Amino acid sequence: MENSDKTPISSSSSPRPSAEEPEPKKVKMSTTTSDDEQCTTAEGTKIRYKRRKVAIFFAYCGVGYQGMQKNPGAKTIEGELEEALYVSGAVPEQDRGLSKRYDWARSARTDKGVSAVGQVVSGRFYIDPPGFVERLNSNLPSQIRIFGFKRVTASFSAKKFCDRRRYVYLIPVFALDPCCHRDRETVLASLGSENELVKCLECSERGRKVEGLVGNSKRNLEIETVNVETNGLSDRNVVVNSGVTENVDVSLSNKGENGLNQESINVGEGKVLVEEVNSKNGLESVVSAQDVVVPSNGGSENNSGALEEEKVNGEDTPAKKSVFTYGEKERERFNKILKYYVGTHNFHNFTTRIKPEDPSAHRFIISFDASTTVVVDGMEFVKCEIVGQSFMLHQIRKMMGLAVAIMRNCAPESLIDKALQKDVSITVPTAPEVGLYLDECFFTSYNQKWKDTHEEVSMKAYEKEAEEFKMKYIYSHIASTEHKEGTVGLWLHSLNHRNYADLRILDEEGVMNDKKSEFEVVAE
């Protein structure tokens, strides 16, 4: 019986692969072409190449560009790339400028000035003869680099098949310190102009007047205007964006040619009662450095501990000497704030032109972490990594803006929960675009489904080149911009209740709690 069982197998003239051991399929590689394309019949015979569906991996520094998506009349990354594809022979003349004809799709749309390291686009292109990547790079500016491409299925779409996207925002460590601001020459250059920047208590060369960064105009006018009586102080309530935990004496003087009332610290003129606000913030946007005076009534210069602390944290102590560090306590608090965003929420307050009832306002955030720091050109940054399925216009920048405002004690943590509610409408600060970049796009489901026949669509093969580009163009640009222009430092002065009245503490009904956001001026 054993011999008879073996006979049919050994005597088979045309063996076939068994069901248990199927013949492996040939993976469609990005560097190979089909046999008919490689063969030539005679010298001078024209070779007819076929279009191939591919996913192209590239990076760019967004400075000088109006975002990723092509926009008529605007300089965009997509416009540069489409033209390079045509010049390189990947797109025929009849399809030039008509991206739909070659199934163009992008994984993510970045805003104006935002960079990317792991951006992906897909389409049907002529990728032969060899040297497709080199031809593309030769027709692109140095701040846009093509890493490579992968052969994909005919139905592949870089937009539809992207499961999730990871962005990174580099925020300077000093931005999380309520007492720290960096110097900026723009404040000095503005002296004598109509847009003169007013010196603040904490930093003698930093301004607080930022045009265009305002919240509710009606409330701003009420907050910004301070009534001063010629024979003393009025007993009306005055709102400030930051204060101290102890009572300090204050006198008001109507200074400045622009009609803006300024306050100066003075003993014996009046009392200021401040409740439940952080002492480290000082009187940044209300008290100007040049208005700090020595008491003329013979009183002590160090009348209170609060006044002494303000002086130490003021212009006498440069911002660069701040003892603030992103230690374990600060890291834990910042990550706790960012965790409020994780999950599915209504982010209508974190974008523009999206109504609360619009289904697109609901987005799913997978993770938001700020556990690591990087040092670039002598400046330390917190690396904030956020992973989500998709993001709306300005969403990440607004999420960062509110998180930083909370870290600087300009708003309570509970405000995030309020901002994520459908029936609440508030103005959220928008962090500068310079620190944001797209880090990587993921295609997990696609790779799992087609792993036996197609290459993995991922950045693994280009990690080294991506890291080099990141350090040379993106990180260096972020650091140099802050060193030269003080973009984040100037933005920090807009994080106050004069510009964003909604940052003040809200009660359970979503209305302003005057007891916690105003102080009383009592005349003696």
Side-chain angles (χ1 to χ4, degrees):
M1 293 295 293
E2 293 179 0
N3 291 336
S4 61
D5 291 339
K6 295 180 180 180
T7 300
I9 299 177
S10 59
S11 60
S12 176
S13 59
S14 56
R16 298 178 180 178
S18 62
E20 292 75 16
E21 298 179 0
E23 183 179 350
K25 296 180 181 180
K26 184 178 181 180
V27 178
K28 293 185 178 181
M29 303 294 290
S30 58
T31 56
T32 61
T33 57
S34 60
D35 294 336
D36 59 334
E37 292 177 355
Q38 292 180 344
C39 297
T40 56
T41 56
E43 185 176 355
T45 303
K46 185 177 180 180
I47 303 177
R48 297 186 61 183
Y49 296 113
K50 294 182 179 180
R51 289 192 186 186
R52 301 297 181 188
K53 193 67 172 291
V54 297
I56 300 176
F57 296 81
F58 66 105
Y60 54 85
C61 180
V63 59
Y65 287 91
Q66 302 295 314
M68 169 67 185
Q69 187 176 11
K70 186 172 65 173
N71 189 11
K75 184 180 180 182
T76 63
I77 299 295
E78 198 169 82
E80 293 270 21
L81 186 56
E82 285 191 6
E83 185 62 18
L85 287 167
Y86 164 72
V87 176
S88 302
V91 175
E93 174 68 31
Q94 63 268 23
D95 292 348
R96 184 181 185 183
L98 302 174
S99 57
K100 290 185 179 180
R101 291 191 176 183
Y102 45 86
D103 297 336
W104 177 270
R106 72 189 76 82
S107 291
R109 293 182 297 178
T110 53
D111 300 341
K112 173 186 174 183
V114 177
S115 303
V117 178
Q119 180 67 282
V120 182
V121 294
S122 61
R124 294 169 53 248
F125 307 112
Y126 293 113
I127 60 176
D128 300 298
F132 175 62
V133 174
E134 290 74 14
R135 292 196 304 275
L136 275 178
N137 282 328
S138 65
N139 292 293
L140 287 169
S142 59
Q143 68 184 91
I144 304 177
R145 289 291 90 182
I146 307 296
F147 296 137
F149 65 93
K150 303 286 187 181
R151 289 281 300 277
V152 293
T153 62
S155 62
F156 180 85
S157 170
K159 178 182 179 180
K160 296 179 181 179
F161 284 76
C162 185
D163 304 312
R164 51 198 172 98
R165 298 155 179 87
R166 180 174 65 216
Y167 282 82
V168 172
Y169 194 102
L170 292 186
I171 187 73
V173 169
F174 70 80
L176 306 181
D177 181 4
C179 303
C180 184
H181 295 283
R182 295 185 61 83
D183 295 343
R184 189 167 188 263
E185 296 298 329
T186 304
V187 178
L188 296 179
S190 70
L191 297 179
S193 66
E194 295 181 357
N195 298 322
E196 181 171 333
L197 303 178
V198 184
K199 294 179 182 179
C200 76
L201 180 65
E202 296 177 352
C203 194
S204 61
E205 295 181 356
R206 171 65 68 185
R208 65 175 174 83
K209 181 180 178 182
V210 184
E211 292 187 347
L213 297 178
V214 295
N216 187 296
S217 58
K218 292 183 179 179
R219 280 182 292 185
N220 289 342
L221 291 176
E222 295 175 359
I223 297 170
E224 195 170 311
T225 302
V226 180
N227 290 339
V228 182
E229 297 181 358
T230 56
N231 59 348
L233 298 177
S234 64
D235 58 355
R236 61 166 293 178
N237 291 344
V238 183
V239 182
V240 295
N241 43 329
S242 59
V244 292
T245 54
E246 299 181 18
N247 295 343
V248 295
D249 295 337
V250 174
S251 67
L252 306 182
S253 59
N254 190 1
K255 298 182 179 180
E257 298 180 357
N258 58 1
L260 177 65
N261 294 315
Q262 299 175 346
E263 294 79 30
S264 59
I265 299 178
N266 200 353
V267 177
E269 295 290 334
K271 295 182 179 180
V272 181
L273 178 60
V274 185
E275 299 180 357
E276 297 186 26
V277 288
N278 191 283
S279 63
K280 294 183 179 180
N281 282 348
L283 297 177
E284 171 188 305
S285 66
V286 175
V287 183
S288 58
Q290 63 268 35
D291 289 335
V292 179
V293 296
V294 178
S296 58
N297 58 355
S300 172
E301 292 182 9
N302 298 327
N303 186 60
S304 66
L307 180 61
E308 182 178 2
E309 181 179 353
E310 290 173 5
K311 191 67 176 178
V312 172
N313 291 334
E315 62 177 339
D316 288 352
T317 304
K320 63 182 180 180
K321 293 184 180 180
S322 175
V323 296
F324 180 87
T325 58
Y326 193 64
E328 187 62 33
K329 183 178 179 180
E330 291 75 17
R331 181 181 291 105
E332 181 179 350
R333 184 191 176 201
F334 196 31
N335 277 295
K336 178 184 176 183
I337 294 172
L338 298 179
K339 289 296 187 297
Y340 281 98
Y341 295 119
V342 176
T344 302
H345 303 286
N346 191 316
F347 287 94
H348 72 96
N349 282 315
F350 295 85
T351 186
T352 58
R353 300 187 296 275
I354 297 294
K355 296 181 179 180
E357 59 272 11
D358 194 327
S360 64
H362 289 83
R363 302 290 164 134
F364 176 51
I365 305 301
I366 299 173
S367 64
F368 205 163
D369 181 77
S371 298
T372 60
T373 60
V374 295
V375 179
V376 185
D377 295 340
M379 185 177 295
E380 187 178 12
F381 294 85
V382 179
K383 188 176 182 180
C384 307
E385 299 185 17
I386 178 171
V387 180
Q389 287 183 339
S390 60
F391 300 92
M392 297 179 290
L393 180 68
H394 298 162
Q395 180 181 343
I396 298 176
R397 291 168 57 192
K398 284 182 175 290
M399 293 166 71
M400 283 296 303
L402 182 55
V404 172
I406 294 174
M407 277 294 291
R408 295 178 62 82
N409 303 317
C410 296
E413 290 186 20
S414 59
L415 188 58
I416 295 184
D417 281 333
K418 289 287 185 182
L420 294 174
Q421 293 179 13
K422 180 180 179 180
D423 56 346
V424 175
S425 180
I426 67 174
T427 301
V428 175
T430 305
E433 72 274 5
V434 65
L436 179 64
Y437 69 89
L438 172 65
D439 192 50
E440 189 172 356
C441 298
F442 300 91
F443 304 85
T444 308
S445 298
Y446 170 85
N447 290 331
Q448 181 64 29
K449 182 177 180 179
W450 300 99
K451 62 181 179 180
D452 295 331
T453 58
H454 289 75
E455 293 178 282
E456 182 181 45
V457 179
S458 71
M459 285 288 294
K460 291 181 181 180
Y462 315 115
E463 289 180 351
K464 182 179 179 181
E465 295 91 332
E467 190 66 25
E468 292 175 354
F469 182 92
K470 184 191 304 181
M471 296 304 299
K472 182 178 180 180
Y473 290 97
I474 299 179
Y475 278 22
S476 61
H477 168 66
I478 294 174
S480 63
T481 299
E482 188 58 37
H483 278 301
K484 296 176 183 179
E485 302 178 12
T487 303
V488 174
L490 183 59
W491 169 71
L492 293 177
H493 280 264
S494 71
L495 296 182
N496 53 59
H497 298 156
R498 177 172 51 84
N499 287 332
Y500 298 99
D502 293 331
L503 292 181
R504 287 180 290 181
I505 296 177
L506 303 176
D507 62 21
E508 295 181 356
E509 297 180 357
V511 297
M512 301 310 305
N513 189 335
D514 294 336
K515 294 182 180 180
K516 295 184 179 181
S517 61
E518 299 182 358
F519 66 82
E520 230 175 45
V521 179
V522 182
E524 289 187 348

